[in-house]
Amino acid sequence: MALRAPEGTRDLLPDEQRFWTHFKQTAADIFGRYGYQPIETPLFEQTDLFVRGIGEATDVVSKEMFSAISGENLKRLLAGESIKAKSRLSLRPEGTAGVVRAVVQNDLVPQGAAPAKLMYAGPMFRAERPQKGRQRQFNQVGIECLGADEPTVDAEGIIMLMRFYEAIGIPVDRTRLLVNSMGCEKCRPAYRDAVKAYMDEHADELCEDCLRRSEINPLRAFDCKKEGCAAVMEGAPKISDYLCDDCRAHYDAVKRLLDLAGISYIEDSRLVRGLDYYTRTVFEVQVVEGMGSQNAIGGGGRYDKLTEEVGGRPTPGFGFALGYERCLLALQAAGMELPGRPPCDIFVASVDDSVREVSFRIVQAARDVGLTAELDHQHRSLKSQFKLADKLNAVLVMVLGPDELASGVVKVRNMQTHHERTVELKALRSLMERFLGARCDAAATGQLFDQK
Ligand code: AMP
């Protein structure tokens, strides 16, 4: 039986791969306007980074990480030996921990420096149960801003994310932006205790996972999808009643800046994002309909303590990640089709084998000029070479036979107008250069080749 891609992964075939490139480019264009610079970190890191950064009690770390192990270390483990901490590796389940590690390691935010604004795009890995919109390898685009705790950072981050969705074609009225503040190390402990006390009172109505969560991190229970737990957590204390003055002022300022930018949002005091590192602002963007339960297309927040967790000096941070595959599902639900392959500029058809070497040279010359060019590689008949040219959506087909070659010419057919003219081989290069110049303008291209 032929092997298939592992469960929870998908191939990005050429049409989709082109769209993914466009997706990343659009993000780079928009985020670049806000000062974000590209960074790329390894696909795997020391497991400890995720344990310390994301939190041991999170689903992502406790259940969903893929470990990566070298053959040598696997042998050691199987032989009952232990391996060094630095050899315990995991595929990255998210991008923030790796970027923060890179910022600390490379000292990208020296004392007194302007914040480091960084963006990344690439695959993340989580051993989740695959379903529509939930994969084990998926792509994220994300940003991190390290070194500033002002609410302007949070607000401009949320605004640029919403601008991105619009630019990629997800209408704002199909989305819902949820915001909340999770407080800080001063005010959150009292809130945590209040939630734990509330959960203890309702212990007999909660699932086993939530009972375990109530011991380690009670706030995780807000994420539980079980109906019974969700109903209980509806009545739990609200963080908004516990925020300290500084956190409240920060949260109010973020909301005011969003109001000024005309961004609508819903305050959701139960929005507690799945990772432990968040402080103050958290937010999530959901698609309103057509996506089932996996409707979150992006989210993030502030993490003012994370840098210290991974061994850096205190450096406030803010970031978000958006899911490429979920955005694509949202776009397809709204009727978008993936753009097809761009047309081939020139197809060179050979009448018989005696001219194939010259055809090969013409195609090569066209590519060197900067055009897309193709020829038959399978000894097809002239008729089926034309079929191939059609399939490739060729703009021009050049036909070369022994008679043309003997006269030093080639026939050039414009496939849109079906007009054909004879061009001298020695004039081909300058013709190709003019084609390249006029390529953006289909009418001009037609004219160029049809004129006598
Ligand atoms: P998170 O890092 O969990 O906040 O996820 C950020 C975004 O990545 C989500 O809003 C989703 O769009 C996307 N995402 C997260 N997990 C998955 C997954 N398993 N499969 C596909 N997309 C995902």
Side-chain angles (χ1 to χ4, degrees):
M1 200 176 63
L3 293 176
R4 301 181 64 84
E7 216 192 335
T9 69
R10 18 192 309 277
D11 303 306
L12 301 195
L13 300 178
D15 284 354
E16 193 179 340
Q17 171 57 39
R18 251 190 308 277
F19 184 67
W20 168 226
T21 302
H22 164 70
F23 193 89
K24 287 186 283 187
Q25 191 53 53
T26 305
D29 286 349
I30 292 182
F31 302 166
R33 293 180 212 164
Y34 294 73
Y36 284 85
Q37 303 288 306
I39 185 169
E40 199 158 323
T41 61
L43 297 192
F44 57 89
E45 300 270 357
Q46 283 188 42
T47 302
D48 257 3
L49 173 69
F50 302 121
V51 172
R52 276 158 61 181
I54 301 173
E56 203 156 8
T58 59
D59 282 356
V60 167
V61 168
S62 64
K63 302 189 207 156
E64 297 168 2
M65 278 213 295
F66 277 106
S67 296
I69 192 149
S70 69
E72 247 179 18
N73 282 324
L74 182 60
K75 270 192 213 144
R76 280 198 192 108
L77 280 181
L78 291 175
E81 293 170 34
S82 61
I83 59 170
K84 293 191 182 118
K86 69 171 191 195
S87 305
R88 286 198 199 105
L89 307 169
S90 291
L91 297 183
R92 62 184 191 188
E94 53 96 65
T96 304
V99 171
V100 170
R101 194 263 315 130
V103 165
V104 172
Q105 186 176 333
N106 299 285
D107 198 20
L108 296 186
V109 194
Q111 215 111 44
K117 287 178 151 185
L118 301 163
M119 64 162 291
Y120 60 84
M124 306 295 159
F125 307 85
R126 293 184 196 171
E128 297 190 85
R129 197 169 46 77
Q131 66 179 83
K132 189 174 175 208
R134 193 163 74 188
Q135 295 175 212
R136 298 187 139 199
Q137 176 177 335
F138 55 98
N139 288 297
Q140 284 187 340
V141 174
I143 62 106
E144 314 296 343
C145 174
L146 283 122
D149 59 8
E150 283 295 303
T152 42
V153 169
D154 312 35
E156 73 170 18
I158 296 174
I159 294 168
M160 79 177 187
L161 176 62
M162 300 312 284
R163 293 283 192 269
F164 169 79
Y165 290 132
E166 249 183 309
I168 206 70
I170 302 175
V172 172
D173 59 8
R174 291 182 67 95
T175 64
R176 168 166 60 212
L177 166 64
L178 307 178
V179 297
N180 190 21
S181 172
M182 296 194 44
C184 64
E185 82 277 14
K186 276 191 283 172
C187 55
R188 194 155 53 186
Y191 175 61
R192 249 174 92 122
D193 291 349
V195 173
K196 168 142 179 41
Y198 173 85
M199 288 173 73
D200 288 348
E201 277 168 35
H202 293 81
D204 50 347
E205 298 160 68
L206 294 170
C207 73
E208 268 187 26
D209 270 350
C210 282
L211 291 178
R212 196 173 43 82
R213 287 175 181 129
S214 87
E215 295 304 323
I216 317 169
N217 188 349
L219 303 192
R220 285 281 77 75
F222 286 110
D223 283 342
C224 185
K225 297 280 182 287
K226 299 204 179 73
E227 265 176 36
C229 299
V232 171
M233 295 313 286
E234 267 294 303
K238 290 185 174 163
I239 180 82
S240 43
D241 295 330
Y242 288 79
L243 292 182
C244 63
D245 290 348
D246 286 349
C247 286
R248 183 169 306 285
H250 193 278
Y251 186 38
D252 287 345
V254 172
K255 288 185 289 178
R256 197 162 49 245
L257 291 166
L258 292 179
D259 289 337
L260 286 173
I263 303 274
S264 8
Y265 54 86
I266 300 165
E267 287 186 67
D268 180 353
S269 62
R270 287 181 184 81
L271 176 68
V272 181
R273 298 197 21 89
L275 315 179
D276 272 0
Y277 52 57
Y278 288 113
T279 49
R280 294 191 167 169
T281 313
V282 284
F283 67 97
E284 185 163 290
V285 184
Q286 301 175 344
V287 172
V288 187
E289 57 184 26
M291 298 272 294
S293 62
Q294 305 302 314
N295 64 350
I297 53 171
R302 178 160 281 290
Y303 48 83
D304 290 342
K305 294 287 149 200
L306 176 59
T307 316
E308 288 157 77
E309 286 297 328
V310 304
R313 70 173 83 86
T315 311
F318 171 88
F320 65 68
L322 59 104
Y324 160 72
E325 285 79 6
R326 301 246 182 110
C327 286
L328 180 62
L329 287 174
L331 285 164
Q332 287 172 330
M336 184 207 78
E337 281 179 25
L338 288 172
R341 173 187 187 135
C344 169
D345 296 318
I346 293 176
F347 186 91
V348 180
S350 306
V351 174
D352 66 24
D353 284 353
S354 69
V355 300
R356 280 184 181 267
E357 265 185 30
V358 181
S359 299
F360 187 86
R361 288 171 58 198
I362 295 175
V363 166
Q364 195 48 47
R367 293 166 179 162
D368 288 344
V369 161
L371 297 169
T372 31
E374 191 53 286
L375 81 172
D376 157 50
H377 294 282
Q378 295 159 307
H379 284 277
R380 291 170 188 240
S381 68
L382 190 60
K383 192 171 162 204
S384 76
Q385 288 181 58
F386 265 98
K387 273 198 194 143
L388 177 59
D390 260 345
K391 204 168 159 212
L392 296 176
N393 225 344
V395 180
L396 299 175
V397 175
M398 298 188 173
V399 187
L400 187 66
D403 296 345
E404 284 84 10
L405 189 54
S407 324
V409 296
V410 63
K411 281 196 195 117
V412 180
R413 183 184 294 185
N414 181 320
M415 297 299 278
Q416 269 136 37
T417 62
H418 296 288
H419 187 92
E420 202 170 271
R421 62 184 283 225
T422 304
V423 177
E424 286 193 20
L425 285 175
K426 60 177 190 287
L428 266 191
R429 193 178 172 89
S430 80
L431 200 72
M432 288 171 181
E433 281 165 356
R434 281 191 290 148
F435 183 8
L436 184 69
R439 186 163 58 173
C440 307
D441 180 346
T445 314
Q447 260 177 13
L448 183 66
F449 282 87
D450 288 347
Q451 67 205 346
K452 285 265 183 271

